Amino acid sequence: MKRLAILSSVLMIFSLFAAAPTLAAAPTNDTYPGRAPIAVGDSLSLDTREATTDADDTEMNAPCGAPAMDASVWYELTATTTGFIGVDVSASDYAAGVFVATGSPGSFEVLTCAPGATAFEAVAGETYAILAIDDQSDGAGNGGTLEIQVAELPPPPVIDLTVNKSGRFNSKTGSATISGTVNCSGGPAEFSFIDVFVRQAVGRFYIDGYGFIEGFSCDGTTQAWSAEVFGSNGLFKGGKALAVSFAFACGTFLCGEGFVERVVQLKGGK
């Protein structure tokens, strides 16, 4: 009988252990002090459902304004070369966002932040804090399976923009035509455009107008461009005008720009 009583007690203890729920733990990199190392080329998965938030998250979000900072986890990257780096969390099964900063709690300098993915220019030897969050834009749960990838990116397109010193005005329509050249290098552009703003003093007033052309290639060749600009509050005349031209081109990940401001002599023509 004594052996039976002991056996019953042991079985009861084991049954209590079996019935007790297993408590999930927060990830080891839940807070800044526990940040996990990550390197260019890494592709990592992590269960963030038990991750929490704290004051360090709030500090990182101050210049960014994410709607929520739930399920945050920390990583640390030390750049081995100078160049552009992308951090992508878009493959996560929840609405994930990412922040990149230098410094430490109390002195963070946030370099970039975005939902899904972001990019920054790294300096060899510099250490960067990376924070991945659930921004709750999907309105569900706390975290999930985080998929984070870090990759080296090609540099942004390089744009050389020029504006000719002479332009044309159309005496019938009152439009001004501004022209020049653009040279864009760095590979194919996903999209590109040139914006032109023209201002001309006519008497005591200014005539302002905007023009736009879409599409130039980023193959390293020099291409001619021209944009017809119509005044929004009057007609352009012959004479001097200020032309502010802005070129923009985006590769797969990063964008480049060119800018020229100069006085243009508008001459008569159709």
Side-chain angles (χ1 to χ4, degrees):
M1 291 295 291
K2 186 175 182 180
R3 289 183 59 192
L4 181 61
I6 293 173
L7 180 60
S8 297
S9 299
V10 171
L11 289 174
M12 182 176 294
I13 291 171
F14 273 112
S15 66
L16 288 173
F17 274 111
T22 301
L23 297 177
T28 56
N29 59 337
D30 183 34
T31 61
Y32 177 83
R35 59 200 181 280
I38 197 167
V40 173
D42 283 351
S43 181
L44 307 177
S45 297
L46 181 68
D47 185 346
T48 64
R49 289 174 296 176
E50 299 300 324
T52 61
T53 61
D54 61 16
D56 295 339
D57 304 338
T58 302
E59 181 188 349
M60 285 281 272
N61 195 34
C64 295
M69 297 292 286
D70 296 345
S72 61
V73 289
W74 293 83
Y75 296 89
E76 182 173 275
L77 180 146
T78 299
T80 57
T81 59
T82 296
F84 291 91
I85 294 176
V87 184
D88 190 344
V89 294
S90 62
S92 306
D93 65 2
Y94 59 95
V98 63
F99 297 68
V100 180
T102 56
S104 57
S107 61
F108 282 129
E109 181 179 349
V110 179
L111 305 180
T112 181
C113 52
T118 193
F120 65 102
E121 187 171 7
V123 177
E126 185 72 66
T127 297
Y128 300 89
I130 298 175
L131 176 66
I133 65 163
D134 179 354
D135 65 14
Q136 289 296 329
S137 61
D138 57 0
N142 183 77
T145 301
L146 173 70
E147 301 288 348
I148 182 168
Q149 297 181 337
V150 180
E152 185 177 359
L153 301 180
V158 177
I159 301 175
D160 181 21
L161 180 69
T162 72
V163 175
N164 294 329
K165 64 181 181 180
S166 296
R168 301 193 314 273
F169 78 94
N170 188 312
S171 57
K172 293 182 179 180
T173 64
S175 67
T177 298
I178 307 299
S179 61
T181 64
V182 61
N183 185 303
C184 180
S185 59
E190 297 287 319
F191 64 89
S192 59
F193 61 85
I194 298 175
D195 270 333
V196 182
F197 166 75
V198 176
R199 165 168 283 188
Q200 184 180 46
V202 178
R204 295 186 302 163
F205 302 97
Y206 288 103
I207 306 301
D208 293 333
Y210 294 89
F212 173 87
I213 63 167
E214 187 174 11
F216 53 85
S217 62
C218 280
D219 57 5
T221 62
T222 299
Q223 305 146 65
W225 65 271
S226 66
E228 187 174 16
V229 180
F230 289 90
S232 59
N233 57 342
L235 305 179
F236 291 112
K237 309 288 185 181
K240 294 181 179 180
L242 175 67
V244 180
S245 304
F246 175 80
F248 194 79
C250 287
T252 305
F253 301 101
L254 300 171
C255 300
E257 61 185 54
F259 173 81
V260 175
E261 178 179 334
R262 73 170 304 170
V263 174
V264 173
Q265 182 72 33
L266 298 181
K267 299 180 179 180
K270 294 183 178 180

